[in-house]
Amino acid sequence: MKANIGGSGAGIIRFDSLDELRAAVTDDGLPGSVDGVLLVQEYVPVRGGAITRIETLDRKFLYAIDVAGGGAFDLCPADACVVPGSGIKMAAVEPSQVLKDAAEAIARAVDLDVGGVEVMIDDRDGVARFYDINALSNFVAKPLDVLGWDPHDRLVDYLIEQIGKTR
């Protein structure tokens, strides 16, 4: 269960059965939310222990990183969010063309200029589950170390191009 309190998986509570959820409702054991909205979704065991964040720019694939959180839900994939000792690890990855195409289709469908689409592979059946669309990028803080190149340069070029179209 996720309360509407902010991003990066903050405040997620896992219930392993419907009875546990019912007990939490009965005992007022649910998390607080800024607007009373709570999201209940099925737990998906992630294959390999990592989710993939596919960054897009102008609705096109830019880069991807795998984020492994050791079973935690609070997985902010920006280097700046990684606290020493948190157990969150990131690495550049080249997703399959199918995943790239799907992320681009999502970005086009929601007119996402810059942002990220998060996907996990369900360990039960191998199906890709897209579960988060971020209309703001979490560009890695040390891109040369993580990616081997700097995506900020392409972002600046894109922004300059967009500004030029308004003149």
Side-chain angles (χ1 to χ4, degrees):
M1 171 166 299
K2 169 103 169 78
N4 190 14
I5 59 171
S8 73
I12 290 179
I13 298 173
R14 179 176 168 177
F15 297 100
D16 289 319
S17 70
L18 187 55
D19 288 339
E20 283 184 22
L21 176 58
R22 284 185 180 125
V25 170
T26 301
D27 298 337
D28 283 333
L30 299 177
S33 178
V34 296
D35 56 5
V37 173
L38 299 172
L39 172 67
V40 178
Q41 66 187 52
E42 179 183 6
Y43 174 77
V44 175
V46 62
R47 183 162 290 170
I51 62 100
T52 300
R53 179 167 172 124
I54 300 172
E55 292 289 338
T56 60
L57 179 62
D58 192 18
R59 296 150 209 83
K60 296 178 196 80
F61 173 81
L62 184 61
Y63 69 86
I65 55 174
D66 272 355
V67 183
F73 291 111
D74 198 355
L75 296 176
C76 182
D79 283 4
C81 297
V82 177
V83 178
S86 70
I88 297 174
K89 295 180 176 40
M90 291 178 294
V93 65
E94 187 67 27
S96 71
Q97 192 61 49
V98 170
L99 291 181
K100 288 182 195 178
D101 291 347
E104 289 178 350
I106 291 168
R108 282 191 308 274
V110 298
D111 205 19
L112 186 63
D113 289 315
V114 60
V117 179
E118 294 178 16
V119 62
M120 65 177 73
I121 305 302
D122 189 327
D123 199 39
R124 298 169 296 187
D125 57 14
V127 172
R129 311 272 185 215
F130 288 88
Y131 66 92
D132 199 6
I133 302 168
N134 299 279
L136 177 64
S137 177
N138 277 342
F139 278 4
V140 290
K142 297 177 183 177
L144 295 177
D145 294 340
V146 177
L147 303 172
W149 59 281
D150 193 342
H152 296 93
D153 296 337
R154 292 188 195 173
L155 174 61
V156 169
D157 291 344
Y158 174 73
L159 293 173
I160 290 170
E161 178 184 322
Q162 296 308 303
I163 291 168
K165 290 179 180 179
T166 63
R167 293 185 177 168

